[in-house]
Amino acid sequence: MTKLFTENIIHEITPLSEKDCFYVADRRKKEFTYPMHSHKEFELNFVEHAPGVKRTVGDSIEVIGDYDLVLITSPDLEHVWEQNTCNSLDIREITVQFVPCFINGLMSTNQFDSIRRMLEKAQNGLCFPMDAIMKVYTLLDKLPEMKGFYAVVHFLTLLYELSCFTDQARTLSSTSFAKVEIHSDSRRVQRVQEYIGKHYQEEIRLGYLANMVGMTEVSFSRFFKLRTGKSLSDYIIDLRLGYATRLLVDSTMAIAEICYECGFNNLSNFNRIFKKKKNCSPKEFRDNYRKKRTII
């Protein structure tokens, strides 16, 4: 049985009212002190001149460079930027928080299709490449100074320009850790993903999945990778690791229990794969994550 912690992630209350579209905070600072948190609002966070800062979004932990731009659209996806080895004295952070209902009515239109795709992908946390940052830098820089109607138009322009880089942007947290439902444009891939999601604790055979969608094993393997960007084995491993990291964070189960609970049938193999994917052992991941948590 899974034993859950009594600790909670801080659920941030933003200054947005029901009549506001978005909120912008432009800060100059020397250090990051805000703890791990989550919030119902969507968030676009830009960090400049902060090399060495450690960014955690779900089960993704990375050290950033001089520039970092991340979009988060899941209400339960915890995140934090920590000082780590950064010694910069001139850090700039621009945070834009906006409510989903602000643009929900526009998402069904053809003109906003690319923004809709970006917001869906950002449920896992989305890290934009340098090309995207350079493209929207002036828009970001001017946004804190703008007011009223023109600020809204300016922000929508910013979102559209970013959405042009959706395919180049990296998802951060694993889907299973972020508790995001998977949707594919392909019914065959969707069917296979739903099966894996229900049976990830069991042995999953390539032949069975291929037969499920009426394809040969070779054709299915190529088709699945083309549609998901991952080989079948990598997809299953990442899904299982996402569930494992969630249990490491949210439960007191022993690491060996978690290993078998998530479909890994060998503890040493689980430790090896975890270390390769997360650059730390399961114990180190759990210990580091617990330090970031704050009791409410």
Side-chain angles (χ1 to χ4, degrees):
M1 180 180 293
T2 302
K3 297 153 278 186
L4 299 178
F5 289 129
T6 57
E7 295 174 318
N8 295 299
I9 295 294
I10 285 180
H11 293 281
E12 181 183 1
I13 299 175
T14 69
L16 280 169
S17 73
E18 293 181 357
K19 294 185 178 181
D20 292 321
C21 293
F22 62 90
Y23 158 77
V24 183
D26 188 0
R27 313 176 190 90
R28 299 277 184 174
K29 58 189 186 181
K30 298 179 181 179
E31 62 179 340
F32 289 82
T33 57
Y34 202 80
M36 179 90 77
H37 62 283
S38 64
H39 40 75
K40 63 181 181 180
E41 293 80 13
F42 294 171
E43 178 176 291
L44 181 67
N45 201 61
F46 171 67
V47 177
E48 183 179 20
H49 304 319
V53 161
K54 182 182 290 185
R55 182 216 325 116
T56 299
V57 177
D59 58 350
S60 167
I61 302 174
E62 298 178 344
V63 176
I64 70 172
D66 282 318
Y67 297 92
D68 189 53
L69 182 60
V70 168
L71 177 63
I72 298 170
T73 60
S74 171
D76 300 315
L77 189 58
E78 49 265 61
H79 51 279
V80 67
W81 278 255
E82 298 176 289
Q83 197 65 19
N84 196 35
T85 61
C86 178
N87 55 16
S88 173
L89 301 178
D90 185 28
I91 298 170
R92 187 184 188 190
E93 182 179 32
I94 300 176
T95 302
V96 187
Q97 293 181 335
F98 55 109
V99 291
C101 62
F102 162 46
I103 52 177
N104 276 350
L106 301 171
M107 290 303 99
S108 60
T109 64
N110 292 331
Q111 290 77 10
F112 281 78
D113 185 60
S114 63
I115 295 178
R116 178 189 57 77
R117 287 181 54 243
M118 176 180 70
L119 295 177
E120 287 179 354
K121 191 173 179 180
Q123 292 180 86
N124 297 67
L126 201 56
C127 181
F128 291 94
M130 184 58 68
D131 286 350
I133 294 174
M134 293 298 99
K135 179 72 173 180
V136 303
Y137 183 87
T138 301
L139 292 168
L140 272 169
D141 185 51
K142 292 181 178 179
L143 185 62
E145 304 170 4
M146 305 194 74
K147 306 293 181 185
F149 173 80
Y150 290 107
V152 175
V153 174
H154 191 88
F155 180 54
L156 289 176
T157 302
L158 169 60
L159 288 180
Y160 174 73
E161 294 293 350
L162 275 180
S163 73
C164 296
F165 292 88
T166 299
D167 292 336
Q168 294 100 299
R170 289 187 299 111
T171 52
L172 296 174
S173 180
S174 62
T175 298
S176 43
F177 185 96
K179 303 177 183 177
V180 174
E181 292 186 11
I182 300 173
H183 298 284
S184 173
D185 294 335
S186 166
R187 291 183 181 179
R188 285 182 290 187
V189 170
Q190 181 73 32
R191 187 180 178 190
V192 168
Q193 289 174 324
E194 288 175 355
Y195 178 86
I196 295 172
K198 292 177 181 177
H199 299 274
Y200 68 92
Q201 296 168 304
E202 309 164 14
E203 182 181 4
I204 299 175
R205 295 185 178 276
L206 170 62
Y208 183 86
L209 298 179
N211 185 61
M212 180 190 300
V213 294
M215 301 176 73
T216 66
E217 293 184 11
V218 173
S219 296
F220 171 71
S221 294
R222 291 174 181 166
F223 176 75
F224 188 85
K225 186 167 186 178
L226 180 65
R227 289 287 184 163
T228 66
K230 296 180 180 180
S231 67
L232 178 65
S233 59
D234 282 343
Y235 179 86
I236 294 172
I237 287 172
D238 288 346
L239 187 79
R240 287 171 172 167
L241 281 178
Y243 283 115
T245 50
R246 178 54 74 180
L247 287 176
L248 287 168
V249 170
D250 288 343
S251 81
T252 57
M253 291 174 65
I255 291 173
E257 289 182 85
I258 292 174
C259 163
Y260 295 107
E261 178 74 14
C262 295
F264 295 95
N265 55 16
N266 181 289
L267 182 57
S268 61
N269 189 46
F270 169 64
N271 285 326
R272 179 183 59 79
I273 292 173
F274 196 101
K275 179 94 173 179
K276 180 180 179 181
K277 295 279 188 176
K278 303 295 182 184
N279 295 315
C280 64
S281 68
K283 183 179 185 306
E284 289 169 338
F285 182 90
R286 168 176 272 175
D287 291 345
N288 290 334
Y289 223 99
R290 283 182 180 176
K291 291 176 185 176
K292 301 182 180 109
R293 291 202 154 203
T294 302
I295 299 175
I296 299 176

